Amino acid sequence: MALATDRLLHAVPPEAAAALPERRWYVRDSVAAIRHRAMRPSPPAPAAGLAAALAAGLRWLAGAEARLSAGCAAAPVLGQADGNLANFLWDGAEVRLVDFEDSGRSDRPYELAELVEHLSAWVDTDLDAAAFLGRFALSPVEQARLLECRRLFALLWLVFLVTDPATAARNPAGTAERQAARLLALLDVP
C-alpha cells in the first residue's frame, strides 16, 4: 500500500502537478464543510463527550486555518483525493489504486493524512498509521504539516459522524466516540 501511494505521489512531475487544478476536498473545501456543518443546528445535540471534542477541534481550527491554507513548501503532487482503503486493490502481485474522479494538485502530507485518518483505515481494520507513515521520508516541514492535516481530517470525520445521519449509519456503533478520542489524541488534549 505504501509503495502504491508513493508511486502515485511521484507519478506526475512537480512542474506538471503545479499546473493541475486543486483536488476536491483540499484545505479550503474541508474547512468550509467543517464550519458549515458544525455551525448549523443538528438535532439532537451531540453527547457531552462528542460536543467537547468538537469544541476542541474548532478551537484548534481557528488557530490553524491560516497555516493550513498557506499550503506546503514541498513540491506539489497529484493527489488521489479519496483515502478510502477500498480504493487500494491487490491484483495478486501488487497494490493498484482506483477512484480518481476528485484528484488534482495536492501535497504529500495532505494526501498521507487523508489516508491514515480515513474511517476505513481504522474502523474495520487496523492500519498501523505510524508504521505506514514511517515508510515516507518527510522533511521537518512536511512532518509538521502532516500532523496539522491529520488533525483537520480527524475533525472533518468527527463533524460528518455527528452531523450526517447517513455517515453515522454506515459505521458501527461507537464510531463517533472513537473518532472523538482520535481527534483529542491528535490535538494532545487529555
Side-chain angles (χ1 to χ4, degrees), residues 33 37-40 42 54 158-168:
R37 289 171 180 258
M39 300 307 171
R40 70 178 183 203
S42 60
L54 278 171
L158 182 59
V159 168
F160 283 158
L161 287 163
V162 170
T163 64
D164 180 17
T167 301

Side-chain angles (χ1 to χ4, degrees), residues 76-156:
V77 299
L78 169 64
Q80 183 190 17
D82 189 346
N84 191 333
L85 295 189
N87 294 327
F88 289 79
L89 304 179
W90 174 249
D91 69 4
E94 62 184 317
V95 173
R96 301 193 185 262
L97 284 163
V98 298
D99 194 358
F100 288 91
E101 76 264 14
D102 295 329
S103 65
R105 183 182 69 252
S106 187
D107 59 76
R108 284 191 329 152
Y110 197 80
E111 293 302 306
L112 295 172
E114 181 180 26
L115 206 157
V116 299
E117 292 307 320
H118 195 281
L119 291 182
S120 68
W122 64 268
V123 166
D124 57 4
T125 189
D126 57 355
L127 176 69
D128 183 335
F132 176 79
L133 294 170
R135 295 182 171 271
F136 298 88
L138 300 176
S139 71
V141 169
E142 287 177 309
Q143 289 174 0
R145 181 162 172 83
L146 175 66
L147 177 58
E148 295 287 274
C149 294
R150 287 186 71 183
R151 290 170 171 166
L152 178 67
F153 279 110
L155 177 57
L156 181 64

Side-chain angles (χ1 to χ4, degrees), residues 8 19 46-47 49 54 63 67 69 81 92 96 98 123 150 170 180 186 189:
L8 169 66
L54 278 171
R67 287 188 310 275
S69 297
R96 301 193 185 262
V98 298
V123 166
R150 287 186 71 183
R170 281 191 302 270
L186 286 167
V189 174

